[in-house]
Amino acid sequence: MEQKAASTQPTTTNSGALSTLVIVFFFWGFIAAGNGVFIPFCKHYFHLDQFQSQLIDFAFYLAYYLGALALYFIATVFGRDVIARWGYRNSIVYGLLFSALGAVIMILAVNANTFPGMLIGLFAVALGFSLQQTAANPFAALLGPAETGANRINLGGGINSFGTFIGPIIVALALFGTTKANDAQIESLGLGKVTVLYACVGALFVLAAAVFFFSRKLPSGKYETDAERSPKALTALIILTVLLIAIFIPIFYSYRVETTDPVMKQGIEMDRIKWLFAGLVILVGTLLVSLSMAKKKSEGWGAMKYPQLVLGMLAIFTYVGVEVSIQSNLSALLGEHDFGGYSSSQVAPFISMYWGSLMVGRWTGSIKNFNPSASLKSILIFIVPVVAYGVVMTVNVIAKNDVTPLYSYIICVMVLAAAFYAGQDKPAKTLLIFALFGMLCMIIGIFTTGTVATYAFLSGGLFCSIMWPAIFVLSIAGLGKFTSQGSAFLIMMILGGAIIPPIQGKLADLKSIGIHNSYWITVACFAYLAFFAMSVKGILRRQGIDYDSNIDAAH
């Protein structure tokens, strides 16, 4: 988009406003990571299979896609940027209030004892998050000198990561208290604590919105802008959305079909598999066909005429999908005898360590923003991840979780440090190294059991940690006036968190595959990310772009 007028960039950082802003970064991480504990709770309370429990992720991450698509649709059709017209501050206020409405829907659904109603509530919460996330990152950049904008966004990313690892701990305490109920006892716990949890969350949303609305220190962030029109890209995304809706209607319908007939049940499961993979094929096919058509005639395609952007959209889709899927299915995996036979109330420290692993990586990736000398940086690369690991362990100890099984995980943290050292802050090289390590960890996890396999799957969080900024900077390189539009397209691909986890969940439900072997889908995801890292180097080189500029570890 071409900006016509903007607020004057301040010469000093508005610390008070920034402190208020980072609240929303915490919310995103807290709720999303808390779903890792909420999923197994709902699975046993509502007697769901693994696929059905993954509908929580489907509803949550689908909202990000539809929210970003709606903003893009308005911008393209009416030529007006909604966020620019409302301003960053008001957009965050509206997003928080919408999330609060989602919390109210959750409470009503809990009182009605309806799982589909709870999915609608989570969808509404995440729809508000989509609006918040679209406004919060550029707002953070606006709250101080332009040259330190990346540091402020990185601070938000660090707070987001703190929310991701503390979320599972708090949600587990809210649902299970200090008791360690086994899965058979979960139904007896009732949903009353879920009501309390979302009443508190909803109140915090409203309080944060009030702080933003009444704070005179916060700039409005309003500006005038012309939206770059791309009617062909819009048409492709609308077609994709319609087809995905058509695909998922029968999947949702099958959720309500109950049968004890094994033949009929097997038929339903196979239909789900077919529909899920059809949705995946449609998404990949639509993007690749669009890129092919744009190569022949680029007019009207906007940012989608750039191959690095389209392949990057698939990379963001894959990255978010694998990041969410690993942990969303982790509780079911740890419930297996070969993995410790943990109950849903006992997995919180493992889910916390998984998300904490992302924090470990992001803190390490942020070292360069403090401009240390080369020698100090080499030392900090090995010290910072250990400190971050210690923070995760300490919080779990305070929460009275048993962290004994996680003591030796420090070995994996050291491997991460070595991977950072080898990556040299170059996005393509770092992404390739991390993708290959991620793929290796998933393969090790599949061919082993017990502690080794558990650590291998948890390490997926370590090697997902800096993928978002690496993919983002590579995907929007060289887009020029289409950079904002390309960024919106990338945000849409958070949709991966809605599609890949249910696919893995359905594979886990098949007796011929099971939860352990369902992790082969994560291997495929990391393999594509490695492919993207290798191919995008050549694409950008042919456009005369330096793909080895440094990365910022923020999400």
Side-chain angles (χ1 to χ4, degrees), residues 26-39 56-57 60-61 64 122 125 129 160 163-164 167-168 171 198 323-324 327-328 351 355:
F26 176 84
F27 280 149
W28 304 337
F30 178 87
I31 298 295
N35 285 344
V37 175
F38 196 54
I39 285 172
I56 290 175
D57 277 337
F60 191 82
Y61 290 98
Y64 275 93
L122 279 172
V125 169
F129 283 2
N160 174 268
T164 59
V171 171
Y198 273 90
E323 176 187 272
V324 174
Q327 67 89 30
S328 292
I351 302 295
W355 288 111

Side-chain angles (χ1 to χ4, degrees), residues 20-21 24 89 92-93 96 139 208-215 218:
T20 304
L21 179 62
V24 298
R89 183 181 64 182
I92 292 172
V93 170
L96 285 165
F139 196 31
V211 170
F212 272 90
F213 184 77
F214 291 109
S215 177
L218 289 171

Side-chain angles (χ1 to χ4, degrees), residues 213-292:
F213 184 77
F214 291 109
S215 177
R216 297 183 180 274
K217 295 182 179 180
L218 289 171
S220 67
K222 291 183 179 180
Y223 59 94
E224 295 180 4
T225 182
D226 290 332
E228 294 293 344
R229 297 178 182 271
S230 50
K232 293 180 181 178
L234 178 62
T235 300
L237 290 171
I238 290 176
I239 291 173
L240 170 62
T241 304
V242 171
L243 290 175
L244 287 177
I245 291 174
I247 286 292
F248 281 102
I249 284 177
I251 293 176
F252 270 104
Y253 175 76
S254 70
Y255 157 73
R256 307 187 65 87
V257 178
E258 296 182 5
T259 179
T260 56
D261 184 344
V263 176
M264 183 177 180
K265 188 173 183 179
Q266 183 178 8
I268 292 173
E269 290 182 347
M270 294 309 299
D271 285 343
R272 285 176 177 170
I273 285 285
K274 292 176 183 177
W275 286 117
L276 284 167
F277 275 103
L280 185 60
V281 169
I282 285 172
L283 183 137
V284 174
T286 300
L287 292 180
L288 294 182
V289 169
S290 297
L291 177 59
S292 177

Side-chain angles (χ1 to χ4, degrees), residues 60 89 104 164 203 396-397 403 493 541 546:
F60 191 82
R89 183 181 64 182
V104 172
T164 59
N396 273 282
V397 169
V403 296
M493 289 300 102
R541 186 185 296 114
D546 176 17

